[in-house]
Amino acid sequence: MQTPLQTRIFEQLRLHLIDNFNPGDRINEAEMAERLGVSRTPIRRVLMKLQSEGALTFEPRRGFVVRDPAVFSGDQEDSTDAFLDERVMRDMAIGDLRGVISERAMMQRYSVPNGVLVSTLRRLTRDRLVEPSPGRGWIFADVSPRALDESYRFRQILEPASLLSDGYKVSVEVLQRLDADHVYAIENIEDMGRRRLFDLDARFHREIAEGAQTAELLNAVERQNNMRRVAEYIGFIRLERIRQSMCEHRDIISALIDGNRQLARL
């Protein structure tokens, strides 16, 4: 039985290989690990599984080589249910879902029944990434690089100001747990996986926003988190930059524990 991490890596590798590889192409394990934000060990396990299924071969001095890409595009019933959200967000990230799109078109695109599709659309609606069209169909959020950049700059303006707002408060216990989780992430960053690292980063910004006790601020930060979550499906992850960001988070947490909100906003 695959672990959740191996299952996620399998699906993301499958989608990447479908789009970018042909028979005879060599797979660079280090590059795949960097792309998916994990160590090489789980990548190697998934590649060995794909080898056993006939999708890959292993050649001395070359490593894993694509044998039959058709295996990647076969029906994956379990992963369809589990990863439709990720498949939709990946297509949003690369710009394939724009304007108004009907449910029928999406059912055909992803080869899923209406019930599975509607469940995904409901979750994306909750995350403010999609909304029903006034007519028929669904409208997907703009997650272009420009939109993401504007969203990020908006958060850069908003968060420091929120730290100095009247009545700002985050409990010391919450901050200490958050700090402990950051320490663990920094020490185990190569084995955590991109999703867990992203979730911790999103949780940090959410906890900071909750301290202002303003629903509109929290909603804005949550939306920015969700937009970034979409973008992660096509971006390379740089572990050193994430480690640096985690250390910066710890400095902010430390200042808040000490009650120094002026220092934290810097």
Side-chain angles (χ1 to χ4, degrees):
M1 179 180 296
Q2 294 187 71
T3 67
L5 175 61
Q6 289 172 338
T7 302
R8 177 177 68 81
I9 291 172
F10 176 83
E11 178 65 11
Q12 292 184 327
L13 262 179
R14 187 177 71 86
L15 292 172
H16 181 67
L17 294 173
I18 288 172
D19 291 343
N20 299 283
F21 284 75
N22 296 307
D25 287 348
R26 174 180 173 271
I27 297 176
N28 187 313
E29 292 182 39
E31 180 182 321
M32 290 297 101
E34 177 72 11
R35 171 175 288 274
L36 299 182
V38 297
S39 67
R40 293 178 64 173
T41 298
I43 292 288
R44 163 71 61 125
R45 288 172 181 162
V46 171
L47 292 176
M48 291 174 65
K49 179 179 185 298
L50 291 171
Q51 179 189 7
S52 70
E53 294 177 355
L56 308 176
T57 58
F58 186 84
E59 299 180 3
R61 294 186 294 278
R62 288 196 73 198
F64 289 98
V65 176
V66 176
R67 177 185 178 186
D68 183 7
V71 175
F72 299 129
S73 58
D75 291 335
Q76 304 285 338
E77 183 175 351
D78 293 339
S79 62
T80 294
D81 289 342
F83 291 100
L84 181 58
D85 293 21
E86 295 194 4
R87 294 172 67 191
V88 171
M89 287 191 287
R90 173 182 174 275
D91 287 348
M92 290 177 66
I94 64 178
D96 281 357
L97 294 176
R98 295 177 177 175
V100 179
I101 303 178
S102 69
E103 288 185 16
R104 180 178 295 275
M106 285 186 280
M107 289 167 59
Q108 293 174 346
R109 179 185 183 91
Y110 299 110
S111 300
V112 295
N114 183 258
V116 173
L117 177 63
V118 168
S119 294
T120 285
L121 292 172
R122 285 174 178 168
R123 285 188 289 272
L124 295 178
T125 300
R126 178 198 62 198
D127 292 340
R128 300 188 177 186
L129 294 173
V130 64
E131 60 180 289
S133 169
R136 300 184 65 181
W138 296 80
I139 303 172
F140 289 83
D142 181 5
V143 291
S144 64
R146 177 179 178 180
L148 288 166
D149 182 62
E150 290 180 356
S151 176
Y152 180 69
R153 286 189 285 113
F154 175 68
R155 193 182 72 187
Q156 283 183 311
I157 295 170
L158 208 58
E159 279 188 337
S162 73
L163 290 169
L164 299 183
S165 62
D166 293 340
Y168 185 91
K169 183 175 178 59
V170 179
S171 75
V172 172
E173 291 79 8
V174 168
L175 292 170
Q176 288 174 336
R177 286 197 299 270
L178 193 58
D179 186 60
D181 289 342
H182 274 68
V183 171
Y184 179 87
I186 292 169
E187 293 176 349
N188 299 276
I189 196 165
E190 293 185 356
D191 298 316
M192 283 192 66
R194 178 166 56 177
R195 170 54 63 85
R196 289 180 65 191
L197 291 170
F198 174 84
D199 286 346
L200 179 57
D201 180 79
R203 180 177 146 218
F204 167 82
H205 292 289
R206 184 168 57 251
E207 297 286 10
I208 295 299
E210 285 183 346
Q213 303 176 54
T214 304
E216 288 300 319
L217 172 63
L218 183 59
N219 288 339
V221 169
E222 288 281 30
R223 176 172 171 78
Q224 206 270 344
N225 280 339
N226 290 328
M227 291 177 66
R228 287 179 55 243
R229 183 155 59 96
V230 173
E232 73 166 313
Y233 290 103
I234 59 170
F236 282 89
I237 190 168
R238 293 176 174 82
L239 294 183
E240 283 307 313
R241 177 65 191 95
I242 291 180
R243 182 181 283 110
Q244 179 185 348
S245 177
M246 293 287 177
C247 290
E248 293 169 357
H249 288 179
R250 291 198 67 209
D251 289 340
I252 295 172
I253 293 169
S254 177
L256 289 174
I257 290 175
D258 292 339
N260 191 340
R261 289 190 283 157
Q262 285 285 356
L263 178 61
R265 70 183 292 272
L266 302 177

